[in-house]
Amino acid sequence: MATSSELPISYVPNFEEYQLRAKRRQAEEDLPTSLPEGFPAQLHSPLVWEGNDFSDPSSWTYSLSSPEIDEITSALRHFQSLKLPLGCITPATFPLPNLRPTLRDLSRTIHSGRGFFVLRGLPVDQYAQDETVIVYAGISSYIGSLRGRQDSKHNGQRADVVLSHVVDLNNVAGRPAIGSPAFTADPQGFHTDTGDIVGLLMIGTGAAGGKSCIASTWKIYNELASSRPDLVRTLASDWAIDGFKRSSTPYYLRPLLYHHPATDTTPERVSLQFSRRSFTGYAAYKRSDYMPPVSEAQAEALDALHFTAMKHQLTMQLEKGDIQFINNVALVHAREGFRDEPENRRHLLRLWLRDEEFGWEVPAPLKGVWEGVFGGMSGKEEGQVFPAAPVVRGAQYGL
């Protein structure tokens, strides 16, 4: 079995190595020239885009008006008056009667439009930190009705942790305890999280860097389908996903790319679910010694995802008070490295969401993963935990 030092790739993609591998494989191997059975030659949808299509930020930004901010603050005071646990934040307990239609339209945009938007202008400095969390969860409940668990323990006890602080934890935990670049100041490669929607609220900006990068999985798919159908086949085949020794099962098999045939009510779709660190390891979570080796085809496919995403990416510098929502199964995202200073520390609050009205059907190989995130969350609102400070999470939630 391949160890980390023998891997054909590292967590940080290398463009020259990618080009050389692609050239060598095309020259020496008899690569398939057809797509997997049933997969489309091309996808046509607003979800197919490139960064140049959105050079005007106003095309993907919804700026809150003063009356809308007043309504949000009124909803905050209403929820506080109920004296309920934070997990009980729902549209019923956080009422936004005037803003609701807009937020539901924006959720529809995530699922069947371009797949992302930024809500701008939330006055986070006017709220206490616990109030900011209430407002964030309240607004997000109109975008995705289910909040997903991002960790299963809090303070050493079993818990449904639904909020993460995305911040450089090196000064809190020390690098040996961190298993994901999300919780460092390092660049983060293109990947997906877990769940349908990722929400990120910016409550603090760093001194420099840290731009958010997103790209259309469907644009990536169309390019690979036309130029390298063999890589589509590789992505749609089973991969060994590292369990990082968190259970009795050392690893499990599933594809990274999924085809959703059209139905009477839904169009044809593809979805992607992957993290490069599952195959290379990262920092505290080294690649397990018992893992099957990463093949040359898989190494090229991972690099192809990353560099094709870079080619078509949209970069955005999030401002304090911005909430970014993205379709996590139809877009990939990354982050540039950044630098903090004592008075300027990059700090985001993250939610994983699923919309029960607009959410896509979950492919069979991912149902267990989705169950781990969303299973039992409806009806268990009182037990949901929103940590007040950043913590190091368990390996199974270390994306």
Side-chain angles (χ1 to χ4, degrees), residues 43 66 70 75 106 162 211 237 251 258-259 282 314 359 398:
L43 289 160
S66 293
D70 290 342
L106 289 169
V162 298
K211 286 184 179 179
S237 301
Y251 62 88
Y258 302 89
H259 176 235
Y282 182 86
L314 170 66

Side-chain angles (χ1 to χ4, degrees), residues 7-325:
L7 286 174
I9 55 169
S10 63
Y11 176 78
V12 178
N14 183 301
F15 186 65
E16 290 184 2
E17 289 180 1
Y18 163 57
Q19 288 183 308
L20 289 172
R21 178 177 286 113
K23 183 177 181 180
R24 181 176 67 250
R25 292 192 66 237
Q26 291 179 84
E28 299 176 359
E29 298 183 34
D30 185 15
L31 302 176
T33 58
S34 63
L35 294 166
E37 184 177 357
F39 276 63
Q42 293 284 276
L43 289 160
H44 303 280
S45 163
L47 276 168
V48 179
W49 53 260
E50 54 185 304
N52 290 337
D53 297 334
F54 300 109
S55 56
D56 180 2
S58 67
S59 65
W60 43 264
T61 303
Y62 183 85
S63 296
L64 292 165
S65 67
S66 293
E68 289 168 336
I69 292 172
D70 290 342
E71 183 176 56
I72 290 168
T73 302
S74 294
L76 165 65
R77 303 307 174 207
H78 174 76
F79 180 79
Q80 288 174 318
S81 74
L82 299 176
K83 301 188 184 306
L84 294 170
L86 295 184
C88 295
I89 298 170
T90 68
T93 61
F94 193 90
L96 299 172
N98 297 315
L99 190 53
R100 180 189 184 282
T102 296
L103 294 176
R104 293 307 293 147
D105 282 345
L106 289 169
S107 183
R108 187 177 288 106
T109 295
I110 288 174
H111 291 88
S112 56
R114 64 180 176 270
F116 70 97
F117 73 93
V118 170
L119 191 72
R120 178 154 289 170
L122 196 67
V124 293
D125 287 337
Q126 296 180 21
Y127 304 129
Q129 181 170 306
D130 62 328
E131 293 178 330
T132 296
V133 170
I134 293 170
V135 167
Y136 177 35
I139 292 171
S140 298
S141 70
Y142 290 85
I143 303 300
S145 50
L146 285 179
R147 286 183 288 270
R149 60 175 63 82
Q150 299 187 48
D151 205 345
S152 58
K153 288 187 177 181
H154 183 61
N155 293 332
Q157 303 296 315
R158 180 79 183 173
D160 293 322
V161 180
V162 298
L163 181 80
S164 282
H165 296 255
V166 181
V167 63
D168 182 6
L169 288 175
N170 278 307
N171 293 332
V172 176
R175 195 171 186 86
I178 300 172
S180 168
F183 303 102
T184 72
D186 296 345
Q188 192 174 18
F190 280 99
H191 66 287
T192 64
D193 283 13
T194 306
D196 301 59
I197 304 167
V198 177
L200 290 168
L201 165 61
M202 178 71 79
I203 62 172
T205 56
K211 286 184 179 179
S212 173
C213 310
I214 61 174
S216 162
T217 293
W218 289 25
K219 180 69 174 182
I220 297 168
Y221 174 86
N222 281 354
E223 184 159 320
L224 295 181
S226 62
S227 63
R228 292 295 304 277
D230 60 296
L231 294 182
V232 175
R233 282 184 169 273
T234 298
L235 292 167
S237 301
D238 277 344
W239 293 55
I241 311 294
D242 200 341
F244 293 113
K245 303 177 182 177
R246 68 177 183 264
S247 70
S248 58
T249 303
Y251 62 88
Y252 60 97
L253 300 174
R254 68 164 176 83
L256 307 189
L257 182 69
Y258 302 89
H259 176 235
H260 306 246
T263 70
D264 292 341
T265 57
T266 60
E268 183 175 37
R269 296 163 169 161
V270 299
S271 61
L272 184 69
Q273 189 71 189
F274 88 107
S275 173
R276 190 177 178 100
R277 63 176 283 281
S278 297
F279 310 102
T280 65
Y282 182 86
Y285 299 144
K286 305 296 183 184
R287 177 178 164 85
S288 301
D289 292 337
Y290 48 67
M291 290 291 294
V294 174
S295 70
E296 284 291 297
Q298 290 174 328
E300 186 189 355
L302 287 173
D303 281 347
L305 287 177
H306 180 83
F307 290 112
T308 308
M310 281 189 65
K311 179 179 176 182
H312 301 295
Q313 70 182 354
L314 170 66
T315 61
M316 53 181 74
Q317 187 71 66
L318 297 178
E319 302 174 3
K320 193 172 187 178
D322 282 355
I323 310 178
Q324 179 195 66
F325 292 101

Side-chain angles (χ1 to χ4, degrees), residues 107 111 196 266 269 354-362:
S107 183
H111 291 88
D196 301 59
T266 60
R269 296 163 169 161
R354 177 170 173 80
D355 190 288
E356 294 172 289
E357 180 181 2
F358 301 139
W360 296 9
E361 178 67 24
V362 180

